[in-house]
Amino acid sequence: MSTNQTPPVAAAAGSGEGGAPDARQLRSILTAVSIALMAVIASVSGLNVAQTHMAVEFGASQNTILWIINIYTLALAALLLPLGAVGDRLGRKPMLIAGLGVFGAASLAAALAPTAEVMLGARVAAGIGAAMIMPITLAVITSTFPDEQRGKAIGVWTGVAGGGGILGMFLSALLVDVADWRWLFVLPMVLVVVALAMTLRSVPNSRERSVHSFDTVGALVSTVAVIGLIFVLQEGPERGWTAPATLLGLAVGLVAAIGFVAWELRLRDASLLDVRLFRERGLAGGSITLLVVFGVQAGIAVVLFPFFQAVLGWSGLLSTVALMPMAVMMMMTSGLAPKLATRIGARSTMAVGIALAGVGLALMALFVSVDGGYLTVLPGMLAMGIGMGLSMTPSTEAITGSLPREQQGVASALNDVTREFGTALGVALLGALLSAGYRDAIDDRLSGIPQGAADTAREGIANAVEVAGGTGSHARDLVHAAQQSFVDGWQQAMWAGVAVMGVLFVYIALRGPKNSAPVPADDTETAEPLGV
């Protein structure tokens, strides 16, 4: 199987839509898929700010609330690869329209849900709709945009994918503060309506005809593998890594993943995903980079929110505002990364981004302090945002460029699955490191604290702050001990992130995508600029 894509203009023309889109239609296409992607991304983290409100209204346990939040991501990640492949065969525009319809209806059902059970069902349906939308948005770009503009378009898509979650959290926190938590679903519904209208008007259809039948076995086995492994990463911190459910999920996930690889190797060119392509530098390097970068980004959020809220005493809304500089830098540099890649090459751009992200982690580890507050972490956040933006866009291009045109839905889905795995992995590992570092540090600072309060304080900084009010004269000492211990745990997690980014930098420098020949300055300005 060739790993070189047929030019995307040919794909659009071959779909019967009247040839290659002009510059105005390309901008409309990019706007439509970006809005659709924003709806999906904003819904990943939006409900985090409404956990307490849902628990009170539904009379539900914390475990049920966590399932309402996590089931969306679980359904999304599990179905990305099969539905991306279905979109390649049935047509990308119909799949996008259907996905927007399912997602919009599910969001409406969630907004009106009378019980936790109905909400769970609505979130599952929303995850299915999101899995229909997300890979198609990128596949539309890679199968429609000409070579000279594809990188810029992928940069916009990557910026939305990377920064959209933080923007979604900000808007969600704002809605919860000024209105009601059920209004959280109004934003995705509005985005769906706008994206649907623009898709119907502007997005061309493209579909690929294959001589092979659909790999149903591969689709089913991949779904089981992703469910098992994502379940472990989501539930391990809550249930315990040695709990029976966790170990069972790990066993099922690993066995299914091994079975998937064996089955795909047997089918070869008829497979859902030709795993032999991971021998290619572009696919392997791009996938590993996205896995690590999104893992670190998600882990950073796990660390930053408790710092802003429990250490600095900020509200949820102000805490999300504090994250916006990192998101803005990420979105800006995602758009600039393609231009830099044409100058110095994709591998060099990825390496620079990884290095800057590592520097950002190191800056936060070195300078974070309770007394210094937000300004001690802001430089590191900015460096992280720039580094992630520079590394994500060429990584995404490397993945989509490694698979042939007829599998762009699969390529896009692989890109998205990698992001979801990275996010879950980063939250689990960096969160665990933070918790372990906090517990180790606070043990030496609890002398004189009443035993019951000390035991509660060991569970986490939020628990310590909550129980401190009942300890009388010990309250200030307990809060200060918890804050200092959190910073110690923070530093442990950040240095672990620096080590991971260092290993990734060496790998990309040695085995990353091959740098193409630099493009002369005049040649990089010939294409009409894109905008959303």
Side-chain angles (χ1 to χ4, degrees):
M1 178 182 292
S2 172
T3 60
N4 297 320
Q5 292 186 39
T6 303
V9 173
S15 64
E17 296 288 333
D22 58 22
R24 181 177 179 181
Q25 187 180 359
L26 288 175
R27 283 192 290 269
S28 296
I29 293 169
L30 183 59
T31 303
V33 297
S34 296
I35 293 173
L37 178 65
M38 176 62 77
V40 170
I41 296 298
S43 295
V44 171
S45 54
L47 275 186
N48 283 318
V49 301
Q51 292 187 45
T52 303
H53 300 81
M54 288 191 295
V56 171
E57 184 159 337
F58 291 141
S61 66
Q62 179 64 20
N63 186 60
T64 299
I65 297 302
L66 288 176
W67 265 108
I68 289 175
I69 294 172
N70 291 337
I71 198 69
Y72 172 83
T73 306
L74 189 63
L76 168 61
L79 295 174
L80 278 168
L81 199 57
L83 292 180
V86 171
D88 284 336
R89 288 171 174 259
L90 297 185
R92 296 174 183 122
K93 183 173 182 176
M95 178 64 83
L96 181 56
I97 292 171
L100 288 168
V102 172
F103 186 84
S107 298
L108 178 60
L112 302 175
T115 65
E117 290 76 16
V118 174
M119 176 65 81
L120 273 169
R123 292 289 284 174
V124 171
I128 295 171
M132 299 168 71
I133 295 168
M134 195 172 182
I136 299 303
T137 57
L138 183 56
V140 165
I141 291 174
T142 56
S143 63
T144 304
F145 279 73
D147 291 343
E148 65 272 14
Q149 297 197 42
R150 193 190 315 142
K152 296 179 183 179
I154 291 177
V156 172
W157 186 95
T158 303
V160 173
I166 297 175
L167 181 59
M169 289 185 67
F170 164 70
L171 294 174
S172 298
L174 180 62
L175 285 170
V176 169
D177 274 12
V178 304
D180 183 82
W181 70 269
R182 291 184 182 272
W183 283 85
L184 295 178
F185 299 99
V186 172
L187 173 63
M189 285 191 287
V190 170
L191 293 174
V192 162
V193 170
V194 175
L196 186 58
M198 296 193 70
T199 298
L200 290 169
R201 186 178 72 247
S202 303
V203 174
N205 189 25
S206 61
R207 59 187 293 260
E208 309 301 338
R209 293 174 176 84
S210 175
V211 297
H212 304 289
S213 59
F214 183 73
D215 181 12
T216 305
V217 173
L220 292 174
V221 175
S222 71
T223 300
V224 172
V226 174
I227 288 176
L229 296 176
I230 292 290
F231 174 85
V232 169
L233 294 174
Q234 288 182 343
E235 294 297 307
E238 296 294 326
R239 297 173 181 261
W241 294 106
T242 58
T246 305
L247 295 176
L248 178 61
L250 180 61
V252 170
L254 289 177
V255 169
I258 294 170
F260 175 75
V261 172
W263 178 258
E264 300 303 283
L265 286 173
R266 177 188 175 192
L267 291 188
R268 300 176 70 85
D269 291 345
S271 61
L272 180 72
L273 173 65
D274 188 350
V275 295
R276 295 172 299 168
L277 293 176
F278 280 96
R279 299 169 185 164
E280 296 281 341
R281 284 188 171 196
L283 186 59
S287 298
I288 293 173
T289 299
L290 284 184
L291 182 77
V292 173
V293 168
F294 267 81
V296 169
Q297 179 195 18
I300 289 297
V302 170
V303 173
L304 284 174
F305 263 93
F307 178 75
F308 294 147
Q309 293 181 300
V311 177
L312 302 186
W314 291 359
S315 67
L317 178 59
L318 186 56
S319 298
T320 55
V321 172
L323 287 173
M324 291 303 291
M326 184 169 68
V328 169
M329 295 307 299
M330 188 192 315
M331 297 177 78
M332 289 177 59
T333 52
S334 291
L336 295 174
K339 182 176 290 188
L340 181 61
T342 61
R343 307 280 188 179
I344 66 175
R347 179 172 58 186
S348 299
T349 303
M350 290 166 66
V352 169
I354 292 164
L356 282 173
V359 168
L361 290 168
L363 288 174
M364 285 190 279
L366 286 170
F367 297 113
V368 62
S369 71
V370 176
D371 297 330
Y374 183 61
L375 293 180
T376 63
V377 299
L378 181 59
M381 289 171 57
L382 295 175
M384 277 287 299
I386 295 171
M388 289 187 293
L390 290 178
S391 59
M392 288 189 301
T393 301
S395 299
T396 297
E397 274 200 274
I399 293 173
T400 57
S402 296
L403 270 73
R405 187 195 69 197
E406 64 269 15
Q407 289 193 330
Q408 282 307 290
V410 173
S412 304
L414 178 61
N415 174 80
D416 299 334
V417 169
T418 302
R419 292 167 181 265
E420 296 300 328
F421 264 116
T423 298
L425 191 61
V427 169
L429 295 185
L430 287 184
L433 285 171
L434 173 64
S435 298
Y438 169 84
R439 287 192 297 269
D440 290 344
I442 201 170
D443 278 339
D444 297 330
R445 296 185 170 116
L446 293 176
S447 57
I449 304 296
Q451 186 63 42
D455 290 340
T456 301
R458 289 186 180 93
E459 296 176 7
I461 186 171
N463 305 79
V465 172
E466 184 177 357
V467 78
T471 59
S473 60
H474 298 290
R476 178 175 296 181
D477 292 338
L478 179 56
V479 170
H480 186 262
Q483 290 174 336
Q484 289 297 136
S485 299
F486 181 87
V487 168
D488 290 346
W490 167 306
Q491 291 173 318
Q492 177 174 306
M494 292 302 98
W495 285 122
V498 171
V500 171
M501 296 303 280
V503 173
L504 178 62
F505 175 83
V506 172
Y507 173 79
I508 292 300
L510 297 177
R511 294 291 303 168
K514 295 180 180 179
N515 283 331
S516 57
V519 178
D522 292 341
D523 292 346
T524 63
E525 307 297 334
T526 55
E528 185 173 341
L530 295 169
V532 176

